[in-house]
Amino acid sequence: MSEKKAYPLRINARVLEAMQRWADDDLRSLNAQIEYVMREALRKAGRIQPAEKPEAMRDDEA
């Protein structure tokens, strides 16, 4: 697992409330949801490479 760093975040109250609802729907913490959304946006923009699935989760190798 990669190193985690704390970072204070100022965010619009309506955006925060919407993120909290989304996190609740996905059974994630608010922090995990924010990180997930940011990671997906970075991946789609080509800024980071997709994470490789762990060995146990690969279903294409049978």
Side-chain angles (χ1 to χ4, degrees):
M1 182 180 264
S2 63
E3 178 185 349
K4 300 277 184 172
K5 293 190 175 198
Y7 182 81
L9 176 65
R10 289 186 199 90
I11 189 168
N12 177 281
R14 290 181 63 196
V15 172
L16 185 62
E17 290 168 6
M19 289 298 293
Q20 183 64 66
R21 287 192 305 274
W22 192 4
D24 293 345
D25 290 346
D26 288 355
L27 302 175
R28 289 190 180 102
S29 69
L30 177 59
N31 190 72
Q33 188 71 13
I34 291 170
E35 188 172 351
Y36 170 78
V37 169
M38 290 174 64
R39 190 179 319 108
E40 284 300 299
L42 289 165
R43 184 188 59 75
K44 287 179 183 176
R47 300 287 182 160
I48 61 172
Q49 297 298 315
E52 205 172 296
K53 286 184 180 179
E55 256 334 286
M57 295 183 73
R58 293 184 186 162
D59 54 337
D60 59 339
E61 300 174 2

